[in-house]
Amino acid sequence: MQIGILGLGSAGIRHFRAFRKLPDISVLGADPDETRRQRAEAEGGKTVATLEGLLSRRPEAVVVAVPHAYLADAALQAMDSGAHILLEKPMATSLEDAIRVVNRARVLKRWVMVSFVHRFRPDVAAARELIVRGNIGTPVFLTDAMVSGASEMPPWVWDRARAGGGMMLYNGIHQVDRARFLLGEEVDTVRAEVRTLTHDVDTEDTVAAVLGFRSRAVGVVTQHKGSADALPGWETQVFGTKGSLRIRTGQELSWVSSGKVTTLAAAPEDRFFGAAAEFVAAIRDGRAPSPSGEDGVAALEIVLRMYADSATSRAKKPNP
Ligand SMILES: NC(=O)c1ccc[n+]([C@@H]2O[C@H](COP(=O)([O-])OP(=O)(O)OC[C@H]3O[C@@H](n4cnc5c(N)ncnc54)[C@H](O)[C@@H]3O)[C@@H](O)[C@H]2O)c1
C-alpha cells in the first residue's frame, strides 16, 4: 500500500517515520519547503513538492498535516483522487468545512480518520478501559489541565487567517477529544473564557472552559501557554461514583477504587505509530478507522463553541 504524507513539519515528519516502520507500506512525502523535504530524504524517504505531484502517483491513502486553513481543501482534493484520508486535527477552521469532508467521504466511500494520536497512549487506553469496566463507577466530573512553557510554536499558529484559533485549536482540541473518549459521552453545553494573556499575537494562549455532558457529568478544561518558563504538563482526572483516576500524561496512571490506590508508570509509547497502524489495519479490513471523522467534527464544534461563548459573554458585559 502506498501512503502519501502532505506536510512534513512537526506532525508530518512523525507520520512519515511512523508509516515507514509498518510492513508492506511505501511512503511518499510532499512539502513545498525544500528543507523539510531534505530532512525526510536524509532519512532515506522519497518526496515531491506538491499535492498534485503526490496524487499523480495514485496513493491509496494520504495523511494531511498542513496548517489549519489548508487541511480541509487538501483532504477533499486527495479524496477526489481516490485516497482514504488520515487528517490532522482540527480538520478545518470552520464546522461547515469539517462536515463537508465527512460528507464527501460518505459519498465517495472513502475512510476518514482524525489524528487524535493521544488516544494511542497506553495510559489513556488503560484509563478508558477502567471506566468501561466500571472500576470508578459512573463518571460525574472531569478536570483536564494542559500547560506548556515558552517553547517554540510553528509561527502560523499565532496567525488567525492560517490557524483559525490558537492554543485551544492547536493543542487543546486533544483535551476535548480525551474528555469525550474517556467518558464515552457527547457534550451538550459549553462555556468558556478565551484570552490572549501571555503573547502579543492574534490568537489565544489561554482558555478555561466548562463542558456539560449529556449524562449530566461536568468537565473543566484549561489550556495555557506560558510566556516564560512554566512547569509543563497535562493532567486529567476523572471522578466517578465509586472511585477516581488520574493521568499524568507520559508519567503515570493512578486510580483509587474500594479504598485501594494503584499506580502504573507510563510505558514507552509511539502514538503516531499507533495511529498509523490503526489506519492501515482499518483500510485493509474494510472497516471505519477510529478516531473517526465524526469524532473530529464533534471536537471542533466544542472548540468553536468555546470561542463563541467567550465572545458573546464579553459582548454582554454591561458598560461601567
Ligand atoms: N496530532 C498531533 O499530535 C499534532 C501535533 C502537531 C501538529 N499537529 C497538526 O498538524 C498540522 C500541521 O502542524 P505542524 O505543527 O506540523 O506545522 P508545521 O508548520 O511544523 O508544518 C506544516 C508543514 O506544512 C507545509 N505546508 C504549508 N502550507 C502547505 C500547503 N498549502 N500545502 C502543502 N504543505 C504545506 C509547510 O511547509 C510545513 O512543512 C496542523 O493541523 C496541526 O494542528 C498535530
Side-chain angles (χ1 to χ4, degrees):
M1 187 188 301
Q2 181 173 226
I3 308 274
I5 316 274
L6 179 70
L8 296 169
S10 63
I13 193 70
R14 284 186 273 175
H15 288 297
F16 186 82
R17 289 171 184 150
F19 278 96
R20 292 188 72 217
K21 286 186 205 157
L22 286 169
D24 305 319
I25 297 287
S26 74
V27 178
L28 180 64
D31 199 299
D33 183 317
E34 198 181 342
T35 52
R36 293 282 160 94
R37 291 202 305 277
Q38 281 169 351
R39 174 172 66 176
E41 282 168 14
E43 296 182 14
K46 295 203 173 79
T47 69
V48 294
T50 63
L51 175 57
E52 291 70 22
L54 186 67
L55 298 181
S56 70
R57 314 287 176 92
R58 297 260 160 239
E60 200 162 338
V62 171
V63 181
V64 180
V66 294
H68 299 166
Y70 317 124
L71 287 170
D73 279 352
L76 290 168
Q77 201 179 326
M79 227 189 290
D80 284 345
S81 84
H84 302 290
I85 305 293
L86 172 52
L87 182 54
E88 264 306 342
K89 27 60 60 171
M91 296 182 79
T93 53
S94 73
L95 200 56
E96 294 71 22
D97 282 349
I99 291 171
R100 193 168 299 136
V101 170
V102 169
N103 286 345
R104 185 85 64 92
R106 253 182 230 138
V107 170
L108 295 174
K109 298 194 172 20
R110 300 291 86 188
W111 299 121
V112 176
M113 174 170 165
V114 174
S115 181
F116 288 126
V117 290
H118 293 279
R119 287 195 189 191
F120 296 91
R121 288 176 174 277
D123 44 357
V124 175
R128 172 66 187 147
E129 205 48 44
L130 286 169
I131 291 172
V132 169
R133 289 209 197 118
N135 285 52
I136 65 163
T138 305
V140 292
F141 185 56
L142 169 143
T143 62
D144 190 292
M146 187 193 284
V147 174
S148 45
S151 52
E152 282 291 312
M153 298 289 293
W156 59 263
V157 175
W158 301 124
D159 170 17
R160 187 165 300 283
R162 284 181 289 167
M167 291 307 294
M168 189 42 88
L169 209 50
Y170 187 73
N171 269 352
I173 199 164
H174 284 298
Q175 301 175 266
V176 169
D177 180 66
R178 179 178 288 187
R180 287 184 67 250
F181 176 62
L182 287 178
L183 268 55
E185 275 287 336
E186 293 304 332
V187 167
D188 251 351
T189 59
V190 179
R191 279 161 284 170
E193 200 61 66
V194 177
R195 304 249 168 169
T196 308
L197 301 177
T198 54
H199 295 73
D200 184 17
V201 292
D202 210 16
T203 57
E204 84 283 354
D205 51 35
T206 304
V207 175
V210 180
L211 308 180
F213 288 84
R214 271 187 205 155
S215 61
R216 293 185 65 245
V218 171
V220 176
V221 174
T222 60
Q223 166 66 224
H224 178 64
K225 173 118 189 115
S227 55
D229 282 344
L231 292 171
W234 182 4
E235 184 169 308
T236 309
Q237 297 202 56
V238 183
F239 301 88
T241 49
K242 289 187 190 159
S244 73
L245 64 82
R246 180 182 64 208
I247 303 166
R248 287 193 170 134
T249 307
Q251 294 175 36
E252 62 178 34
L253 166 67
S254 305
W255 67 96
V256 52
S257 183
S258 308
K260 184 171 171 265
V261 179
T262 311
T263 296
L264 292 179
E269 60 92 19
D270 185 347
R271 55 190 181 274
F272 282 77
F273 180 79
E278 159 64 8
F279 184 56
V280 167
I283 293 172
R284 285 186 174 144
D285 297 351
R287 63 169 172 85
S290 176
S292 65
E294 286 79 3
D295 288 319
V297 168
L300 175 61
E301 181 182 12
I302 293 163
V303 173
L304 295 178
R305 285 173 68 187
M306 290 179 191
Y307 294 160
D309 181 74
S310 183
T312 312
S313 68
R314 225 172 292 178
K316 276 192 200 146
K317 183 173 179 276
N319 289 329

